[in-house]
Amino acid sequence: MLENNYTNNTDNSSSGIVYLVGAGPGDPGLLTLRGLECLQKADLVVHDRLANQQLLAHAPQAEIIDVGKKPDHHPTPQERINAILVEEAQKGKVIVRLKGGDPFVFGRGGEEALSLAKAGIPFEIIPGVTSAISVPAYAGIPVTQRGVACSVAFITGHCAGSKPLDVDWQALSQGVDTLVFLMGVHSLKLIVTSLLKVGRSPETPIALIERGTLPEQKVVTGTLDNILEEAADIEPPAIIIIGKVVSLHPTLEWFKSTLEISLMG
Ligand code: SAH
């Protein structure tokens, strides 16, 4: 058992507890030690599609509920997930809510924590390795680099429902060196045309990384000018990273991926 010396709710034995655990981006080795410890003592694991299923092997004793979105299936609605966590914790269970990447980075972990807080259920947040930085890292792209990029922004390429993207393109383009879009594959055209419209150079390097950190990782690089044709067959989940740091990819690439297309000059 791992020891830690901070105050937490772990020893609350009278009621259940929910651990909101970040599962990391895909590579099962990127789970934290604290996340592993929680899985090993869980009575119930409630997991997402993006959380690597291999991690469930750390919890053979646990009941498993899959609330992930599968192709041709509707995901469990967020309200229902919130209700499952509350109802099962009220039965006294130790619950791991296993979420892809980090629970608080575009993961709706904040909503789940709010719902638990409202119901008076003890909970802990176990941060995870977010795809926003680790997927670029596995493609040999540092999100910041001295002398090249001193700022980075994480942006969602998808808004709730059918709302348009709520992005200040001018401010982003002028004020931030590296732009990392999550959930952006279907908005790629909008992202590229919006950045070009506010004056980002057509020569700006851009990469799309599909299923990063996994054996089937696929990287496509190019420039704002040519990426639309070349990235046409990229599918979610994928990260879009834009900025000069992308040009480090050919030199720093270390993780062997199955397919790569490069159109950078
Ligand atoms: N909480 C998660 C993000 C959830 S939003 C995190 O911190 O990583 C889901 C988006 O994450 C996907 O649409 C994709 O943009 C990104 N993503 C997650 N895992 C990924 C992976 N292995 N490769 C590429 N993108 C990934």
Side-chain angles (χ1 to χ4, degrees):
M1 178 71 81
L2 295 166
E3 295 295 332
N4 60 41
N5 50 14
Y6 52 85
T7 310
N8 61 29
N9 295 315
T10 311
D11 296 326
N12 187 328
S13 51
S14 56
S15 79
I17 181 165
V18 178
Y19 297 98
L20 289 169
V21 177
D27 180 341
L30 296 180
L31 178 72
T32 64
L33 292 174
R34 184 91 182 105
L36 174 63
E37 182 192 17
C38 293
L39 277 172
Q40 286 169 338
K41 66 181 177 189
D43 299 314
L44 168 65
V45 178
V46 180
H47 73 93
D48 279 344
R49 188 176 54 93
L50 283 177
N52 193 326
Q53 313 289 297
Q54 287 178 42
L55 296 177
L56 300 177
H58 295 304
Q61 76 290 349
E63 178 194 344
I64 308 291
I65 300 180
D66 177 359
V67 293
K69 203 193 306 182
K70 294 200 192 90
D72 303 327
H73 285 75
H74 287 296
T76 308
Q78 188 63 48
E79 298 68 37
R80 183 65 203 130
I81 296 173
N82 296 353
I84 290 171
L85 296 178
V86 170
E87 285 161 17
E88 296 296 320
Q90 281 168 343
K91 294 178 192 164
K93 291 184 186 173
V94 173
I95 303 172
V96 165
R97 171 71 177 110
L98 192 62
K99 301 176 72 68
D102 179 88
F104 277 5
V105 178
F106 300 128
R108 305 192 74 170
E111 290 166 60
E112 292 173 15
L114 279 172
S115 148
L116 293 167
K118 199 170 153 207
I121 306 288
F123 65 89
E124 287 184 28
I125 312 299
I126 318 296
V129 175
T130 180
S131 62
I133 54 169
S134 58
V135 168
Y138 269 54
I141 303 172
V143 294
T144 67
Q145 174 82 358
R146 199 173 162 87
V148 179
C150 62
S151 58
V152 56
F154 304 130
I155 309 133
T156 174
H158 176 83
C159 278
S162 52
K163 282 191 202 152
L165 277 190
D166 186 15
V167 172
D168 183 340
W169 296 104
Q170 188 82 39
L172 257 193
S173 185
Q174 288 178 354
V176 186
D177 295 323
T178 305
L179 308 179
V180 179
F181 286 88
L182 286 79
M183 297 176 278
V185 174
H186 298 304
S187 311
L188 180 63
K189 189 170 180 189
L190 175 72
I191 291 166
V192 167
T193 52
S194 302
L195 288 171
L196 289 173
K197 208 182 285 176
V198 295
R200 197 90 172 201
S201 163
E203 300 302 314
T204 306
I206 172 169
L208 277 84
I209 309 152
E210 177 185 320
R211 295 187 63 75
T213 81
L214 291 162
E216 57 272 29
Q217 170 172 303
K218 187 163 146 188
V219 183
V220 175
T221 57
T223 59
L224 287 182
D225 226 10
N226 64 20
I227 197 69
L228 284 180
E229 311 91 75
E230 299 314 318
D233 65 341
I234 290 282
E235 287 175 7
I239 291 285
I240 302 171
I241 178 163
I242 302 169
K244 285 184 191 158
V245 288
V246 173
S247 53
L248 294 164
H249 160 75
T251 316
L252 297 186
E253 186 199 12
W254 60 274
F255 183 71
K256 285 301 152 208
S257 52
T258 47
L259 178 65
E260 168 138 4
I261 303 169
S262 178
L263 285 173
M264 278 192 319

Short mmCIF file of all heavy atoms in Angstrom, two decimals, residues 22 24-27 48-51 99-109 128-136 155-158 180-185 208-214 217-218 235-240, ligand 1:
data_model
loop_
_atom_site.label_atom_id
_atom_site.label_comp_id
_atom_site.label_asym_id
_atom_site.label_seq_id
_atom_site.Cartn_x
_atom_site.Cartn_y
_atom_site.Cartn_z
N GLY A 22 -7.86 9.88 -13.08
CA GLY A 22 -7.41 10.08 -14.46
C GLY A 22 -6.68 8.83 -14.92
O GLY A 22 -5.71 8.40 -14.29
N GLY A 24 -5.09 8.49 -17.76
CA GLY A 24 -4.04 8.76 -18.73
C GLY A 24 -4.59 8.62 -20.15
O GLY A 24 -5.75 8.26 -20.35
N PRO A 25 -3.73 8.86 -21.15
CA PRO A 25 -4.21 9.02 -22.53
C PRO A 25 -4.43 7.72 -23.29
O PRO A 25 -5.02 7.74 -24.37
CB PRO A 25 -3.08 9.80 -23.17
CG PRO A 25 -1.86 9.34 -22.43
CD PRO A 25 -2.30 9.13 -21.02
N GLY A 26 -3.97 6.59 -22.79
CA GLY A 26 -4.11 5.35 -23.55
C GLY A 26 -3.07 4.33 -23.13
O GLY A 26 -3.41 3.24 -22.69
N ASP A 27 -1.79 4.68 -23.25
CA ASP A 27 -0.72 3.79 -22.79
C ASP A 27 -0.99 3.45 -21.32
O ASP A 27 -1.00 4.35 -20.47
CB ASP A 27 0.63 4.51 -22.94
CG ASP A 27 1.80 3.65 -22.48
OD1 ASP A 27 1.60 2.68 -21.73
OD2 ASP A 27 2.94 3.98 -22.86
N ASP A 48 -15.01 5.08 -18.71
CA ASP A 48 -15.29 5.70 -20.01
C ASP A 48 -14.67 4.89 -21.13
O ASP A 48 -13.80 4.07 -20.91
CB ASP A 48 -14.61 7.08 -20.06
CG ASP A 48 -15.41 8.14 -19.37
OD1 ASP A 48 -16.59 7.91 -19.13
OD2 ASP A 48 -14.84 9.21 -19.10
N ARG A 49 -15.03 5.24 -22.34
CA ARG A 49 -14.46 4.57 -23.52
C ARG A 49 -12.99 4.89 -23.68
O ARG A 49 -12.19 4.04 -24.08
CB ARG A 49 -15.23 5.04 -24.77
CG ARG A 49 -14.90 4.29 -26.04
CD ARG A 49 -15.79 4.78 -27.15
NE ARG A 49 -15.72 6.22 -27.29
CZ ARG A 49 -14.91 6.85 -28.10
NH1 ARG A 49 -14.09 6.17 -28.88
NH2 ARG A 49 -14.90 8.17 -28.17
N LEU A 50 -12.59 6.14 -23.37
CA LEU A 50 -11.19 6.53 -23.61
C LEU A 50 -10.23 6.01 -22.53
O LEU A 50 -9.03 6.04 -22.72
CB LEU A 50 -11.06 8.05 -23.73
CG LEU A 50 -11.50 8.64 -25.07
CD1 LEU A 50 -11.39 10.17 -25.05
CD2 LEU A 50 -10.70 8.07 -26.22
N ALA A 51 -10.78 5.54 -21.41
CA ALA A 51 -9.91 4.94 -20.40
C ALA A 51 -9.54 3.54 -20.90
O ALA A 51 -10.42 2.74 -21.21
CB ALA A 51 -10.63 4.87 -19.06
N LYS A 99 -11.55 7.93 -15.75
CA LYS A 99 -11.81 8.84 -16.87
C LYS A 99 -10.55 9.01 -17.71
O LYS A 99 -9.45 9.06 -17.18
CB LYS A 99 -12.26 10.20 -16.34
CG LYS A 99 -13.52 10.10 -15.49
CD LYS A 99 -13.92 11.41 -14.88
CE LYS A 99 -14.46 12.36 -15.90
NZ LYS A 99 -15.76 11.95 -16.46
N GLY A 100 -10.72 9.10 -19.03
CA GLY A 100 -9.58 9.26 -19.93
C GLY A 100 -8.79 10.52 -19.62
O GLY A 100 -9.35 11.55 -19.26
N GLY A 101 -7.46 10.42 -19.71
CA GLY A 101 -6.60 11.59 -19.50
C GLY A 101 -6.68 12.09 -18.08
O GLY A 101 -6.51 11.33 -17.12
N ASP A 102 -6.96 13.37 -17.92
CA ASP A 102 -7.15 13.99 -16.60
C ASP A 102 -8.64 14.27 -16.42
O ASP A 102 -9.30 14.75 -17.34
CB ASP A 102 -6.36 15.31 -16.52
CG ASP A 102 -6.57 15.97 -15.18
OD1 ASP A 102 -5.81 15.66 -14.25
OD2 ASP A 102 -7.51 16.79 -15.05
N PRO A 103 -9.18 14.00 -15.21
CA PRO A 103 -10.62 14.16 -15.01
C PRO A 103 -11.13 15.59 -15.20
O PRO A 103 -12.29 15.81 -15.54
CB PRO A 103 -10.85 13.73 -13.56
CG PRO A 103 -9.62 13.03 -13.13
CD PRO A 103 -8.51 13.48 -14.00
N PHE A 104 -10.23 16.57 -14.97
CA PHE A 104 -10.67 17.97 -15.01
C PHE A 104 -10.31 18.69 -16.31
O PHE A 104 -10.52 19.89 -16.43
CB PHE A 104 -10.09 18.74 -13.82
CG PHE A 104 -10.87 18.58 -12.53
CD1 PHE A 104 -11.94 17.70 -12.43
CD2 PHE A 104 -10.52 19.32 -11.40
CE1 PHE A 104 -12.65 17.56 -11.25
CE2 PHE A 104 -11.23 19.19 -10.20
CZ PHE A 104 -12.30 18.31 -10.13
N VAL A 105 -9.72 17.97 -17.28
CA VAL A 105 -9.42 18.61 -18.57
C VAL A 105 -10.45 18.10 -19.58
O VAL A 105 -10.36 16.97 -20.05
CB VAL A 105 -7.99 18.29 -19.05
CG1 VAL A 105 -7.73 18.94 -20.41
CG2 VAL A 105 -6.96 18.78 -18.03
N PHE A 106 -11.43 18.91 -19.88
CA PHE A 106 -12.51 18.56 -20.81
C PHE A 106 -13.08 17.17 -20.53
O PHE A 106 -13.43 16.45 -21.46
CB PHE A 106 -12.02 18.65 -22.27
CG PHE A 106 -11.54 20.01 -22.66
CD1 PHE A 106 -10.30 20.18 -23.25
CD2 PHE A 106 -12.32 21.13 -22.42
CE1 PHE A 106 -9.85 21.44 -23.60
CE2 PHE A 106 -11.87 22.41 -22.77
CZ PHE A 106 -10.63 22.56 -23.35
N GLY A 107 -13.14 16.81 -19.26
CA GLY A 107 -13.58 15.45 -18.95
C GLY A 107 -14.89 15.40 -18.19
O GLY A 107 -15.32 14.32 -17.80
N ARG A 108 -15.49 16.52 -17.92
CA ARG A 108 -16.74 16.62 -17.16
C ARG A 108 -16.57 16.12 -15.72
O ARG A 108 -17.55 15.86 -15.03
CB ARG A 108 -17.89 15.91 -17.89
CG ARG A 108 -18.04 16.46 -19.31
CD ARG A 108 -19.31 16.03 -19.99
NE ARG A 108 -20.47 16.73 -19.46
CZ ARG A 108 -21.70 16.68 -20.00
NH1 ARG A 108 -21.89 15.96 -21.09
NH2 ARG A 108 -22.71 17.32 -19.47
N GLY A 109 -15.29 15.99 -15.31
CA GLY A 109 -15.02 15.57 -13.93
C GLY A 109 -15.51 16.62 -12.94
O GLY A 109 -15.96 16.28 -11.84
N GLY A 128 -4.76 12.94 -13.74
CA GLY A 128 -4.20 11.99 -14.70
C GLY A 128 -3.31 12.70 -15.70
O GLY A 128 -3.27 13.93 -15.76
N VAL A 129 -2.59 11.91 -16.49
CA VAL A 129 -1.74 12.47 -17.54
C VAL A 129 -2.66 12.84 -18.70
O VAL A 129 -3.25 11.97 -19.35
CB VAL A 129 -0.71 11.42 -17.99
CG1 VAL A 129 0.10 11.95 -19.16
CG2 VAL A 129 0.20 11.04 -16.83
N THR A 130 -2.84 14.13 -18.91
CA THR A 130 -3.79 14.54 -19.94
C THR A 130 -3.24 14.30 -21.35
O THR A 130 -2.05 14.47 -21.61
CB THR A 130 -4.18 16.03 -19.77
OG1 THR A 130 -5.11 16.36 -20.82
CG2 THR A 130 -3.01 16.97 -19.85
N SER A 131 -4.14 13.94 -22.25
CA SER A 131 -3.75 13.75 -23.66
C SER A 131 -3.24 15.06 -24.25
O SER A 131 -2.46 15.04 -25.20
CB SER A 131 -4.95 13.23 -24.47
OG SER A 131 -6.00 14.17 -24.45
N ALA A 132 -3.66 16.19 -23.68
CA ALA A 132 -3.29 17.49 -24.26
C ALA A 132 -1.78 17.71 -24.31
O ALA A 132 -1.28 18.38 -25.22
CB ALA A 132 -3.95 18.61 -23.44
N ILE A 133 -1.05 17.14 -23.35
CA ILE A 133 0.41 17.27 -23.40
C ILE A 133 1.11 15.95 -23.73
O ILE A 133 2.16 15.94 -24.35
CB ILE A 133 0.99 17.84 -22.07
CG1 ILE A 133 0.51 17.02 -20.88
CG2 ILE A 133 0.62 19.30 -21.90
CD1 ILE A 133 1.25 17.37 -19.58
N SER A 134 0.49 14.82 -23.31
CA SER A 134 1.20 13.54 -23.48
C SER A 134 1.11 13.02 -24.91
O SER A 134 2.06 12.38 -25.38
CB SER A 134 0.63 12.51 -22.52
OG SER A 134 -0.75 12.32 -22.72
N VAL A 135 0.03 13.28 -25.59
CA VAL A 135 -0.08 12.82 -26.98
C VAL A 135 0.93 13.57 -27.86
O VAL A 135 1.68 12.95 -28.62
CB VAL A 135 -1.54 12.91 -27.47
CG1 VAL A 135 -1.64 12.73 -28.98
CG2 VAL A 135 -2.40 11.86 -26.75
N PRO A 136 1.02 14.91 -27.75
CA PRO A 136 2.12 15.59 -28.45
C PRO A 136 3.50 15.04 -28.04
O PRO A 136 4.37 14.85 -28.89
CB PRO A 136 1.96 17.06 -28.05
CG PRO A 136 0.51 17.21 -27.75
CD PRO A 136 0.10 15.89 -27.14
N ILE A 155 -7.77 23.98 -26.02
CA ILE A 155 -9.05 24.50 -26.51
C ILE A 155 -9.93 23.33 -26.93
O ILE A 155 -9.44 22.37 -27.54
CB ILE A 155 -8.81 25.41 -27.74
CG1 ILE A 155 -7.73 26.45 -27.42
CG2 ILE A 155 -10.09 26.10 -28.20
CD1 ILE A 155 -6.69 26.60 -28.48
N THR A 156 -11.22 23.41 -26.63
CA THR A 156 -12.11 22.37 -27.13
C THR A 156 -12.56 22.71 -28.55
O THR A 156 -12.92 23.86 -28.84
CB THR A 156 -13.34 22.15 -26.22
OG1 THR A 156 -14.21 21.21 -26.87
CG2 THR A 156 -14.10 23.42 -25.94
N GLY A 157 -12.52 21.70 -29.40
CA GLY A 157 -12.99 21.89 -30.78
C GLY A 157 -14.46 21.52 -30.92
O GLY A 157 -14.98 21.42 -32.02
N HIS A 158 -15.10 21.32 -29.78
CA HIS A 158 -16.49 20.87 -29.82
C HIS A 158 -17.22 21.52 -28.66
O HIS A 158 -16.74 21.48 -27.53
CB HIS A 158 -16.53 19.35 -29.67
CG HIS A 158 -17.90 18.77 -29.61
ND1 HIS A 158 -18.63 18.51 -30.74
CD2 HIS A 158 -18.69 18.43 -28.56
CE1 HIS A 158 -19.81 18.01 -30.38
NE2 HIS A 158 -19.87 17.97 -29.07
N VAL A 180 -3.45 23.82 -28.71
CA VAL A 180 -3.76 22.39 -28.69
C VAL A 180 -5.28 22.24 -28.64
O VAL A 180 -5.92 22.69 -27.69
CB VAL A 180 -3.13 21.70 -27.45
CG1 VAL A 180 -3.48 20.22 -27.43
CG2 VAL A 180 -1.61 21.89 -27.43
N PHE A 181 -5.84 21.64 -29.68
CA PHE A 181 -7.29 21.42 -29.73
C PHE A 181 -7.60 19.96 -29.41
O PHE A 181 -7.02 19.05 -29.99
CB PHE A 181 -7.84 21.74 -31.13
CG PHE A 181 -7.91 23.21 -31.41
CD1 PHE A 181 -6.82 23.88 -31.95
CD2 PHE A 181 -9.07 23.93 -31.14
CE1 PHE A 181 -6.89 25.25 -32.21
CE2 PHE A 181 -9.14 25.30 -31.40
CZ PHE A 181 -8.05 25.96 -31.93
N LEU A 182 -8.53 19.76 -28.48
CA LEU A 182 -9.07 18.44 -28.21
C LEU A 182 -10.45 18.38 -28.85
O LEU A 182 -11.12 19.43 -29.00
CB LEU A 182 -9.19 18.19 -26.70
CG LEU A 182 -7.86 17.92 -25.96
CD1 LEU A 182 -7.12 19.21 -25.69
CD2 LEU A 182 -8.10 17.17 -24.66
N MET A 183 -10.89 17.20 -29.19
CA MET A 183 -12.21 17.00 -29.80
C MET A 183 -12.38 17.89 -31.04
O MET A 183 -13.47 18.40 -31.29
CB MET A 183 -13.33 17.31 -28.79
CG MET A 183 -13.33 16.39 -27.58
SD MET A 183 -14.56 16.82 -26.35
CE MET A 183 -13.72 18.13 -25.47
N GLY A 184 -11.32 18.05 -31.80
CA GLY A 184 -11.35 19.03 -32.90
C GLY A 184 -11.39 18.44 -34.30
O GLY A 184 -11.43 19.21 -35.28
N VAL A 185 -11.38 17.11 -34.43
CA VAL A 185 -11.24 16.52 -35.77
C VAL A 185 -12.34 17.02 -36.72
O VAL A 185 -12.05 17.42 -37.85
CB VAL A 185 -11.27 14.98 -35.70
CG1 VAL A 185 -11.29 14.37 -37.10
CG2 VAL A 185 -10.05 14.47 -34.94
N LEU A 208 -1.76 16.52 -36.57
CA LEU A 208 -2.88 15.78 -36.00
C LEU A 208 -2.34 14.43 -35.54
O LEU A 208 -1.61 13.77 -36.29
CB LEU A 208 -4.01 15.56 -37.02
CG LEU A 208 -4.96 16.76 -37.16
CD1 LEU A 208 -4.40 17.77 -38.12
CD2 LEU A 208 -6.34 16.32 -37.58
N ILE A 209 -2.68 14.07 -34.32
CA ILE A 209 -2.19 12.82 -33.75
C ILE A 209 -3.39 11.99 -33.31
O ILE A 209 -4.13 12.40 -32.40
CB ILE A 209 -1.25 13.08 -32.54
CG1 ILE A 209 -0.18 14.10 -32.93
CG2 ILE A 209 -0.64 11.77 -32.05
CD1 ILE A 209 0.33 14.92 -31.76
N GLU A 210 -3.61 10.89 -33.99
CA GLU A 210 -4.77 10.02 -33.71
C GLU A 210 -4.33 8.86 -32.81
O GLU A 210 -3.27 8.27 -33.03
CB GLU A 210 -5.30 9.48 -35.04
CG GLU A 210 -6.46 8.52 -34.90
CD GLU A 210 -6.87 7.93 -36.26
OE1 GLU A 210 -6.90 8.65 -37.27
OE2 GLU A 210 -7.15 6.71 -36.29
N ARG A 211 -5.13 8.55 -31.81
CA ARG A 211 -4.86 7.43 -30.88
C ARG A 211 -3.43 7.46 -30.36
O ARG A 211 -2.70 6.46 -30.39
CB ARG A 211 -5.20 6.09 -31.53
CG ARG A 211 -6.70 5.97 -31.82
CD ARG A 211 -7.16 4.63 -32.29
NE ARG A 211 -6.97 3.57 -31.33
CZ ARG A 211 -7.72 3.37 -30.24
NH1 ARG A 211 -8.71 4.19 -29.97
NH2 ARG A 211 -7.48 2.38 -29.42
N GLY A 212 -3.05 8.66 -29.90
CA GLY A 212 -1.70 8.87 -29.39
C GLY A 212 -1.39 8.00 -28.19
O GLY A 212 -2.27 7.66 -27.41
N THR A 213 -0.14 7.64 -28.04
CA THR A 213 0.46 6.82 -26.97
C THR A 213 0.11 5.34 -27.10
O THR A 213 0.55 4.53 -26.30
CB THR A 213 0.10 7.29 -25.52
OG1 THR A 213 -1.20 6.83 -25.14
CG2 THR A 213 0.20 8.79 -25.35
N LEU A 214 -0.69 4.98 -28.09
CA LEU A 214 -1.07 3.58 -28.32
C LEU A 214 -0.29 3.05 -29.53
O LEU A 214 0.19 3.83 -30.35
CB LEU A 214 -2.58 3.49 -28.57
CG LEU A 214 -3.41 3.81 -27.32
CD1 LEU A 214 -4.85 4.14 -27.68
CD2 LEU A 214 -3.35 2.67 -26.31
N GLN A 217 -0.90 4.59 -32.89
CA GLN A 217 -0.75 6.06 -33.02
C GLN A 217 -0.43 6.45 -34.47
O GLN A 217 0.41 5.84 -35.11
CB GLN A 217 0.39 6.53 -32.11
CG GLN A 217 0.80 7.99 -32.33
CD GLN A 217 1.80 8.47 -31.29
OE1 GLN A 217 1.54 8.42 -30.11
NE2 GLN A 217 2.96 8.93 -31.73
N LYS A 218 -1.11 7.49 -34.92
CA LYS A 218 -0.91 7.95 -36.30
C LYS A 218 -0.67 9.46 -36.25
O LYS A 218 -1.44 10.18 -35.61
CB LYS A 218 -2.20 7.63 -37.06
CG LYS A 218 -2.17 7.88 -38.52
CD LYS A 218 -3.37 7.11 -39.10
CE LYS A 218 -3.98 7.79 -40.27
NZ LYS A 218 -5.23 7.16 -40.70
N GLU A 235 -9.21 10.22 -37.72
CA GLU A 235 -10.47 10.03 -36.99
C GLU A 235 -10.27 10.26 -35.49
O GLU A 235 -9.17 10.07 -34.99
CB GLU A 235 -10.98 8.61 -37.21
CG GLU A 235 -11.53 8.42 -38.61
CD GLU A 235 -11.93 6.99 -38.89
OE1 GLU A 235 -11.90 6.17 -37.96
OE2 GLU A 235 -12.24 6.72 -40.07
N PRO A 236 -11.34 10.63 -34.80
CA PRO A 236 -11.23 10.77 -33.34
C PRO A 236 -10.95 9.42 -32.68
O PRO A 236 -11.35 8.40 -33.25
CB PRO A 236 -12.61 11.28 -32.92
CG PRO A 236 -13.31 11.70 -34.19
CD PRO A 236 -12.69 10.91 -35.30
N PRO A 237 -10.28 9.39 -31.53
CA PRO A 237 -9.79 10.56 -30.80
C PRO A 237 -8.45 11.04 -31.38
O PRO A 237 -7.57 10.24 -31.65
CB PRO A 237 -9.58 10.03 -29.38
CG PRO A 237 -9.24 8.58 -29.58
CD PRO A 237 -10.02 8.13 -30.79
N ALA A 238 -8.36 12.34 -31.55
CA ALA A 238 -7.11 12.92 -32.06
C ALA A 238 -6.89 14.29 -31.45
O ALA A 238 -7.84 14.98 -31.06
CB ALA A 238 -7.16 13.04 -33.58
N ILE A 239 -5.61 14.64 -31.35
CA ILE A 239 -5.20 15.96 -30.87
C ILE A 239 -4.74 16.77 -32.07
O ILE A 239 -4.06 16.23 -32.95
CB ILE A 239 -3.99 15.79 -29.90
CG1 ILE A 239 -4.41 15.12 -28.59
CG2 ILE A 239 -3.27 17.12 -29.65
CD1 ILE A 239 -5.17 15.99 -27.63
N ILE A 240 -5.09 18.03 -32.10
CA ILE A 240 -4.57 18.94 -33.12
C ILE A 240 -3.62 19.90 -32.42
O ILE A 240 -4.01 20.52 -31.42
CB ILE A 240 -5.71 19.74 -33.79
CG1 ILE A 240 -6.74 18.81 -34.42
CG2 ILE A 240 -5.14 20.71 -34.84
CD1 ILE A 240 -8.01 19.52 -34.90
N1 SAH B 1 -9.90 14.34 -20.08
C1 SAH B 1 -9.24 13.97 -21.32
C2 SAH B 1 -9.87 14.65 -22.52
C3 SAH B 1 -11.29 14.25 -22.78
S1 SAH B 1 -11.95 14.99 -24.22
C4 SAH B 1 -7.74 14.28 -21.20
O1 SAH B 1 -7.31 14.93 -20.25
O2 SAH B 1 -6.99 13.80 -22.05
C5 SAH B 1 -11.63 13.74 -25.43
C6 SAH B 1 -10.57 14.21 -26.38
O3 SAH B 1 -9.28 13.98 -25.84
C7 SAH B 1 -10.54 13.48 -27.70
O4 SAH B 1 -11.51 13.97 -28.60
C8 SAH B 1 -9.14 13.80 -28.18
O5 SAH B 1 -9.05 15.11 -28.68
C9 SAH B 1 -8.36 13.75 -26.88
N2 SAH B 1 -7.74 12.43 -26.66
C10 SAH B 1 -7.89 11.64 -25.60
N3 SAH B 1 -7.12 10.53 -25.70
C11 SAH B 1 -6.44 10.66 -26.87
C12 SAH B 1 -5.46 9.86 -27.54
N4 SAH B 1 -5.02 8.70 -27.04
N5 SAH B 1 -4.98 10.31 -28.72
C13 SAH B 1 -5.39 11.47 -29.25
N6 SAH B 1 -6.31 12.27 -28.66
C14 SAH B 1 -6.81 11.87 -27.49
#
